Amino acid sequence: MNRAVFVDRDGVINDMVYDEDEGRVTSPVRARQLRVFPYVASVVKQLRRMGFEVIVISNQPGVAKRQFTLEELDKMNRKIRADLRAGGTHFDAEYYCLHHPEALVRKYRAVCDCRKPKPGLLLRAAREHQIDLSRSYFVGDALMDVEAGKRAGCKTILVGHLNTFMGSMIEQRGVVPDYVVPSLKEVPQVVGSP
Ligand SMILES: [Mg+2]
Ligand SMILES: [Zn+2]
């Protein structure tokens, strides 16, 4: 059985963007806005060297909401892969949920079992890559990531800072991450300690 470090995409692999109209940070909707964090390739390389499979698990409802096309999503993902390739590494797999219950695009309108916080994508990845979930980690920057990871039986690592808002959400929902770290950069240290 393999071990994996599952990683969320937006906010973990690439930076969020500031949307002026919405007045808040959101996921990028164009490849040209997407900026991969500078340490990602070296972290992925290190984790793979430690014997983990590194697998992306991401909700991408933007196509369903007509925020971008499938081609643009592909372009964003190719940009991330190119960055990793330049650093001499790659993901072992990538899994995306394209559904949304209120999708504008009919074919993606569904209450699916793969949209986080549901664990569907993790369970599928585990099946297809013979992964022991109890010895694996899920790294995400949102509570839905922690929830999906817990439901799948993984250890969970929340990327970010425990501000008052996050703290009260954790308390309210009873979804407590096993670890909190500032960024993906600290993850090899967490998963490497006995
Ligand atoms: Mg995220
Ligand atoms: Zn889905």
Side-chain angles (χ1 to χ4, degrees):
M1 289 291 264
N2 300 310
R3 300 176 79 188
V5 174
F6 297 106
V7 290
D8 170 43
R9 201 196 79 174
D10 301 320
V12 175
I13 299 298
N14 56 271
D15 208 350
M16 302 295 273
V17 295
Y18 184 70
D19 184 319
E20 292 212 9
D21 298 333
E22 303 255 334
R24 62 186 179 94
V25 290
T26 62
S27 296
V29 295
R30 297 283 176 271
R32 65 177 144 75
Q33 298 177 308
L34 186 144
R35 185 183 149 271
V36 181
F37 287 121
Y39 43 77
V40 172
S42 94
V43 168
V44 171
K45 198 172 188 171
Q46 200 179 340
L47 290 171
R48 296 189 75 248
R49 208 183 283 144
M50 291 165 79
F52 290 98
E53 297 215 2
V54 181
I55 298 177
V56 176
I57 302 283
S58 171
N59 289 351
Q60 289 295 334
V63 179
K65 293 177 177 176
R66 294 215 172 98
Q67 293 170 329
F68 48 82
T69 61
L70 206 52
E71 289 70 29
E72 194 68 31
L73 175 61
D74 188 48
K75 216 166 156 183
M76 288 192 255
N77 293 337
R78 273 188 279 136
K79 191 169 177 178
I80 297 170
R81 282 179 218 128
D83 185 278
L84 263 60
R85 201 179 312 122
T89 191
H90 60 87
F91 293 126
D92 290 281
E94 301 167 41
Y95 291 86
Y96 299 97
C97 166
L98 300 182
H99 309 110
H100 194 275
E102 281 123 51
L104 298 173
V105 181
R106 193 167 200 128
K107 75 185 273 205
Y108 299 120
R109 195 185 306 152
V111 178
C112 61
D113 65 1
C114 53
R115 184 174 159 76
K116 295 177 291 186
K118 290 187 182 167
L121 290 182
L122 287 156
L123 300 178
R124 204 175 112 206
R127 223 168 27 238
E128 293 177 359
H129 291 259
Q130 292 79 49
I131 288 160
D132 179 352
L133 290 165
S134 69
R135 295 173 63 233
S136 298
Y137 295 82
F138 190 23
V139 185
D141 67 331
L143 278 192
M144 67 174 174
D145 297 316
V146 177
E147 196 174 336
K150 283 194 163 310
R151 285 165 79 170
C154 297
K155 293 190 189 75
T156 55
I157 303 175
L158 181 67
V159 161
H161 296 276
L162 269 192
N163 52 27
T164 322
F165 171 74
M166 197 59 114
S168 73
M169 285 293 288
I170 287 174
E171 210 165 290
Q172 232 176 68
R173 307 195 51 184
V175 178
V176 185
D178 295 296
Y179 305 92
V180 183
V181 295
S183 76
L184 184 69
K185 217 193 300 184
E186 289 75 32
V187 167
Q189 205 187 327
V190 172
V191 304
S193 49

